[in-house]
């Protein structure tokens, strides 16, 4: 236990090696002193006077602890060129002094020195050569054995193989395609992986000082359900690309070639791996299905060029940069066979110039992924939701289109354009009269010479002065416009109306009053505790850059509660802005979902096309970004993957954050290997504790103490109280009779028949709790936390919203069967009156996933069980008169339903 404690302090809490060694020394002294005191007490009782005090031995160094616990991973090191990242085997005697890599057969060699002389303490030169850079990798077969011996892993593999859930990717064409490559050999041990690649700064996300980039290559086992897939212990970290600089395309090729080489021999020929169910070994095959990365890494690793270096803009289709705004053409996907042929041609080029010319024409270069016979270079690349949509499309809409926190340099350019137009407008209005006076003087001087000609000239110039040219700035909107109140803006406003809008050709920016309304909504909205509140000073530089998850919260949860109130039915311009916003939010809710049907994919295509079309007219000063074009391929990817949220970059970014917190010696040569050993030991330690907890109760308590510090799954967060409410008792009794089909009787209905089903209200059989936790999601009674009590749930095959009034743990006994069940008694929200419904702006915009309900209580109680609760909802209270409704209302946003509730 002392060794486990020391390992946890070092690996999980970042306690330094010196301090952990001090803790080991202190523990050794404490235990030995305790043993001596116990022995002295024994001797005073004349018991065992001849017994010698045992000496408690404990390792003195944390490295010895790792060896004692047997949690050291199997790490392979290869010599790596610090410039081109060419890898050399560890037989130093066979490695040249300088790197011999050539980018092409006729190019110059790299010639970077691979070794540096080592110095001993006295300063004399040591004879042995020391490599300047290492590339460390984790042994795949060792990880597979550890992975399959972890408790619960094989059960999860069999579950997804035998009864795959509807959510995630298990019923998608992508998954079926992978299964076909196993040539009919169906097995839960046919492991399908997704590769994640990204770069991070191992010294933290600081701007000042030298920037250091270290790359991580990790593999996710997609056979595991989502709640297990991204746990650190279940991720295979192949290696960390050595810092300090990013590798170029050739360096990336060298690194990825080593990964592909370690994977190729595991398909289609299986290997035998020991597992907990099969101590003698089981056949395992590995298949790589997905490449998950940000846009830059996808191009660098996937074998495509950046748009600035190629005629082609997109890696999915043959779109050119100048066609980025072409919305009429339906871009077809690239042919995988054609991409592979283009990559082989690039590889066969003998000069760098030939490679560059060919790549600029096709946008394709060679990548080691083409060595996998089954690899599809088009569809196996995942277009991430985090970088492309949240930090791409949504960020561009907020910061650039709306001008909330707009880039300072961009805003300066736009201000200069506005000043130029303002000066032009001031000249045409104020200087026109002065020019007319000067013209009158000239006309009077000419009257004595040619009277008739003067009349003509006077006439012409009078026409010019009374009818000046149209200004470049737009005219005001018609004051007599009657805003629509009863119809859907998306349907009633024809697209041709956009052609008649006088849009400012320089910039649109959300007003200060509108921004203040959004900030007020951020402050007022009622959130569950697992949703982080956005900064109340949104748009100011002091709150820093919004993260991807905050963009998702803002557009899917916050803005739908405020934008309809400030834009809908205001004027033509704002009606179109509101429609444009609804298109974007509808797309966002589909992108964030964990299950997307073919109909929803088509609906996304419709909404996104409308969004792009209206954006080009409403925001003409801003050019489309590559992210906007990439997003046009989401419908095809949805139909192939089923959903993209389960394959997002969020787990990888969390892994980057864990890596950044690991303490290293700061030397670039050792950083990669140090972090890799640390993270692997951390995983091995938790697996060891999970194995030991079955036989040792104290190890189970250690796991709860160090790994479940928030709250254990499905546990109560408050002290249980005796159930007392008679109305709740009656409701619960009615629910049990209806749901079980049994005749449940009240406890006080005497006499009872033989073997009755009685709902006992005493503490032994029924108790009330204020809050409970299910997989880090808190559910509370409204008296405890209103946000955690606001839920979307299923009742009588219909979705309802309401607030949890009471949570009851019941021990149900009928016959010989005993069942422990948790019941939620929910006060349902009342719908607004029919005459008020016509004023509800959300009724015409289901894509906002928001509705209006009455704030007034009405006492309707629904009884449901945990599996009927879908998600939390977001609540905002609005006063009487909002939307013309003559009562207080609640705005209820249901966008937290990402279609994950069935897997909870």
């Amino acid at each position: 236990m002392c060794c486990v404690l020391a390992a946890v302090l070092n690996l999980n809490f970042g306690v330094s090696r010196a301090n952990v060694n001090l803790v080991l020394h202190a523990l050794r002294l404490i235990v030995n002193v305790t043993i001596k005191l116990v022995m002295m007490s024994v001797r005073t009782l004349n018991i065992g006077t001849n017994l010698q005090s045992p000496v408690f031995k404990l390792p003195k160094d944390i490295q010895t602890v790792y060896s004692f616990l047997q949690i050291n991973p199997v790490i392979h090191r290869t010599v790596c060129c610090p410039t081109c990242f060419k890898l050399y085997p560890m037989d130093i005697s066979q490695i040249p002094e300088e790197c011999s890599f050539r980018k092409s057969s006729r190019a110059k060699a790299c010639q970077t020195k691979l070794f540096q002389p080592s110095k001993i303490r006295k300063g004399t030169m040591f004879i042995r050569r020391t490599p300047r850079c290492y590339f460390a990798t984790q042994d795949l077969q060792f990880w597979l054995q550890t992975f399959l011996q972890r408790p619960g892993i094989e059960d999860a593999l069999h579950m997804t193989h035998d009864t795959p859930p509807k959510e995630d990717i298990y019923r998608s064409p992508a998954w079926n395609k992978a299964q076909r490559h196993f040539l009919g050999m169906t097995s839960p041990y046919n492991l399908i992986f997704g590769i994640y690649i990204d770069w991070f700064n191992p010294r933290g996300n600081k701007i000042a000082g030298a920037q250091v980039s270290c790359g991580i290559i990790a593999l996710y086992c997609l056979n595991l359900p989502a709640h297990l897939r991204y746990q650190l212990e279940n991720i295979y970290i192949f290696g960390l690309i050595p810092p300090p600089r990013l590798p170029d395309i050739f360096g990336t090729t060298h690194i990825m070639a080593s990964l592909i080489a370690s994977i190729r021999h595991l398909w289609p020929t299986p290997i035998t791996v020991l597992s907990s169910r099969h101590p003698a070994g089981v056949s395992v095959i590995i298949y790589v299905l997905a490449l998950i990365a940000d846009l830059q890494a996808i191009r660098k690793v996937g074998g495509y060029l950046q748009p600035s270096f190629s005629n082609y803009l997109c890696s999915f289709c043959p779109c050119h940069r100048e066609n980025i705004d072409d919305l009429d053409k339906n871009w077809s996907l690239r042919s995988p066979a054609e991409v592979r042929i283009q990559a082989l041609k690039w590889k066969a080029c003998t000069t760098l110039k030939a490679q560059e010319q060919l790549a600029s024409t096709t946008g394709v270069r060679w990548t080691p992924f083409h060595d996998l016979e089954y690899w599809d270079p088009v569809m196996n690349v995942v277009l991430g939701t985090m970088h492309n949509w949240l930090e791409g499309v949504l960020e561009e809409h907020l910061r650039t289109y709306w001008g909330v926190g707009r880039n300072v340099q961009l805003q300066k350019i736009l201000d200069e354009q506005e000043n130029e137009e303002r000066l032009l407008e001031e000249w045409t209005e104020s200087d026109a009269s002065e020019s007319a006076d000067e013209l009158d003087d000239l006309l009077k001087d000419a009257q004595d010479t040619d009277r008739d000609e003067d009349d003509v000239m006077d006439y012409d110039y009078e026409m010019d002065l009374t009818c000046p040219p149209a200004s470049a700035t737009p005219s005001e909107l018609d004051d007599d416009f009657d805003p629509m109140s009863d119809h859907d803006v998306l349907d009633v406003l024809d697209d041709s109306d956009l052609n008649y809008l006088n849009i400012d050709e320089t910039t649109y920016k959300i007003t200060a009053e509108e921004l203040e309304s959004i900030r007020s909504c951020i402050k007022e909205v009622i959130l569950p505790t697992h949703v982080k509140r956005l900064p109340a000073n949104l748009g100011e530089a002091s709150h820093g850059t919004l993260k991807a998850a905050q963009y998702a919260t803002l557009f899917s949860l916050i803005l739908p509660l405020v934008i309809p109130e400030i834009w809908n039915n205001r004027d033509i311009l704002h009606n179109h802005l509101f429609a444009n916003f609804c298109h974007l939010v509808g797309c966002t809710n589909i992108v964030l979902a964990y299950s997307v049907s073919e109909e929803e994919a088509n609906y996304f295509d419709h909404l996104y096309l409308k969004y792009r079309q209206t954006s080009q007219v409403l925001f003409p000063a801003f050019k489309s970004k590559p992210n906007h074009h990439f997003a046009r391929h989401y419908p095809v990817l949805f139909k192939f993957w089923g959903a993209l949220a389960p394959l997002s970059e969020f787990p990888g970014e969390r892994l980057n954050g864990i890596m950044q917190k690991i303490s290293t010696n700061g030397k670039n040569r050792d950083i990669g290997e140090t972090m890799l050993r640390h993270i692997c030991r951390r995983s091995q330690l938790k697996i060891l504790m999970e194995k030991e907890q079955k036989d040792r109760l104290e190890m189970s308590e250690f796991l709860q103490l160090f790994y479940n510090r928030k709250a254990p799954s499905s546990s109560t967060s408050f002290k249980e109280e005796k159930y007392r409410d008679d109305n709740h008792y009656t409701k619960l009794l009615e629910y049990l009779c209806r749901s079980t089909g049994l005749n449940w009787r009240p406890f006080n209905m005497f006499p009872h028949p033989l073997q009755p089903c009685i709902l006992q209200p005493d503490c032994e059989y029924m108790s009330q709790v204020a809050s409970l936790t299910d997989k880090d999601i808190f559910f509370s009674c409204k008296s405890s936390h209103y946000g955690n009590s606001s839920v979307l749930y299923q009742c009588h095959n219909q979705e309802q919203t309401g607030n949890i009034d009471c949570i009851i743990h019941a021990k149900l006994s009928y016959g010989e069967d005993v069942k422990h069940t948790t019941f939620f008694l929910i006060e349902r929200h009342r719908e607004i009156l029919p005459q008020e419904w016509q004023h509800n702006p959300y009724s015409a915009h289901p894509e906002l996933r928001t509705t209006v309900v009455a704030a007034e209580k009405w006492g309707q109680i629904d009884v449901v069980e945990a599996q009927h609760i879908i998600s939390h909802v977001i609540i905002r209270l609005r006063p009487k008169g909002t939307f013309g409704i003559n009562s207080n209302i609640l705005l209820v946003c249901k966008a937290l339903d990402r279609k994950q509730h069935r897997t909870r």
Side-chain angles (χ1 to χ4, degrees), residues 664-726:
T664 64
N665 60 7
K667 297 181 179 179
N668 292 332
R669 186 185 68 176
D670 302 327
I671 284 178
E673 182 178 356
T674 300
M675 290 192 295
L676 181 61
R677 289 189 181 277
H678 182 104
I679 204 70
C680 293
R681 286 168 176 163
R682 181 172 170 176
S683 301
Q684 294 290 329
L685 176 63
K686 186 176 181 182
I687 294 174
L688 172 66
M689 296 172 69
E690 290 175 342
K691 291 179 180 179
E692 294 290 332
Q693 70 172 337
K694 294 183 178 180
D695 303 324
R696 301 174 62 182
L697 179 61
E698 63 274 11
M699 194 63 71
S700 177
E701 294 177 353
F702 252 50
L703 274 172
Q704 293 290 332
L705 180 63
F706 293 120
Y707 292 96
N708 297 326
R709 299 190 302 278
K710 293 182 180 179
S713 178
S714 301
S715 67
T716 59
S717 300
F718 294 87
K719 185 178 179 180
E720 295 184 353
E721 300 177 356
K722 184 177 179 180
Y723 163 79
R724 297 184 179 89
D725 195 304
D726 292 337

Side-chain angles (χ1 to χ4, degrees), residues 125-185:
M125 300 303 294
F126 195 69
I127 299 176
R128 190 182 63 184
R129 302 179 302 170
T130 302
R132 294 178 58 193
C133 182
Y134 289 111
F135 177 52
T137 59
Q138 182 182 186
D139 186 84
L140 179 56
Q141 295 193 29
F142 170 80
W143 179 86
L144 284 173
Q145 181 171 317
T146 305
F147 172 69
L148 293 178
Q149 290 180 350
R150 186 188 177 196
I153 292 299
E154 288 184 283
D155 295 337
L157 295 177
H158 280 271
M159 186 272 292
T160 56
H161 177 265
D162 299 335
T163 56
K166 295 181 180 179
E167 292 79 11
D168 220 310
I169 64 172
Y170 299 114
R171 302 190 182 187
S172 66
W175 192 260
N176 295 333
K177 175 183 176 182
Q179 295 295 337
R180 288 196 299 269
H181 278 93
F182 291 114
L183 305 178
M185 298 181 294

Side-chain angles (χ1 to χ4, degrees), residues 583-620:
H583 297 145
L584 182 62
V585 173
C587 292
T588 300
N589 289 329
I590 296 175
V591 166
L592 296 177
Y594 277 71
S595 177
V596 178
S597 65
E598 185 173 350
E599 292 75 14
E600 289 170 323
N602 293 332
Y603 187 46
F604 176 95
D605 194 18
H606 167 74
L607 289 177
Y608 188 65
L609 183 59
K610 290 286 187 180
Y611 169 73
R612 290 288 306 281
Q613 289 172 344
T614 53
S615 295
Q616 289 180 356
V617 179
L618 292 170
F619 314 106

Side-chain angles (χ1 to χ4, degrees), residues 565 839 841 852 877-887 889 891:
E565 189 173 344
H839 302 293
V852 178
L877 175 64
R878 300 307 294 147
K880 177 181 178 181
T882 304
F883 305 130
I885 299 176
N886 196 27
S887 61
I889 58 174
L891 306 184

Side-chain angles (χ1 to χ4, degrees), residues 729-789:
Y729 180 85
T730 303
K731 290 288 185 181
L732 186 56
L733 197 64
E734 294 174 355
Y735 173 80
L736 287 173
C737 293
R738 185 175 63 253
S739 61
T740 63
L742 301 175
N743 184 23
W744 286 86
R745 299 170 56 87
F747 71 98
N748 55 0
M749 183 183 289
F750 299 104
H752 294 305
L754 293 176
Q755 295 184 343
C757 298
I758 302 174
L759 184 60
Q760 299 286 358
D762 54 77
C763 287
E764 181 182 355
Y765 289 90
M766 189 179 299
S767 58
Q768 178 177 334
V769 296
S771 180
L772 60 81
T773 307
D774 184 18
K775 294 192 186 325
D776 293 336
I777 304 296
F778 286 81
F779 296 98
S780 307
C781 299
K782 62 182 179 181
S783 58
S784 175
H785 192 287
Y786 195 88
N788 287 339
S789 73

